[in-house]
Amino acid sequence: MLGRLNHVAIAVPDLAAASAQYRTMLAAEVTEPQVLPEHGVTVVFINLPNTKIELLEPLDEASPIAAFLAKNPSGGMHHVCYEVEDILAARDHLKAEGARVLGDGEPKIGAHNKPVLFLHPKDFNGTLIELEQV
Ligand code: CO
């Protein structure tokens, strides 16, 4: 069911500073910031040869990332994103296996204009998992 690792996401307290660090200190290719109101975040992607890193900054205090940064003020690894070919089939399989899908269980449109879902970290060794249909 799982395809490629699409990205690893890191929550950051200052997206501009983190982007500048990746661009200059790490000499990486960083995309322009993208505001995703439905997810409560602004994101950039670092394009690597084999995958991407997503940097996440909360849009406001209501953002789920704001709560994460309250616990991890200097930032930290937030989720991993795996690709799937059919997100509804993947969701139905996971629910039948007893995994919890976050939110109302319906895919939302993610940063790549593709449907995404998140799975409960307590069901996956303490790791928040995003599935993206490709
Ligand atoms: Co993501």
Side-chain angles (χ1 to χ4, degrees), residues 1-78:
M1 182 174 83
L2 288 188
R4 295 180 344 130
L5 173 67
N6 185 276
H7 60 269
V8 174
I10 300 171
V12 301
D14 182 338
L15 189 62
S19 299
Q21 183 186 51
Y22 269 86
R23 204 173 272 128
T24 57
M25 197 183 286
L26 296 169
E29 181 191 329
V30 183
T31 64
E32 288 305 307
Q34 205 181 340
V35 178
L36 302 176
E38 202 182 350
H39 298 275
V41 293
T42 305
V43 305
V44 302
F45 284 91
I46 318 295
N47 291 318
L48 304 177
N50 62 337
T51 188
K52 297 185 277 289
I53 302 297
E54 176 180 47
L55 302 181
L56 297 165
E57 180 186 64
L59 267 186
D60 53 37
E61 285 307 305
S63 168
I65 302 301
F68 181 90
L69 286 173
K71 283 183 252 168
N72 307 275
S74 54
M77 212 207 84
H78 186 262

Side-chain angles (χ1 to χ4, degrees), residues 96-110:
E97 293 288 329
R100 287 169 285 179
V101 177
L102 298 188
D104 64 6
E106 293 306 315
K108 288 184 183 175
I109 296 303

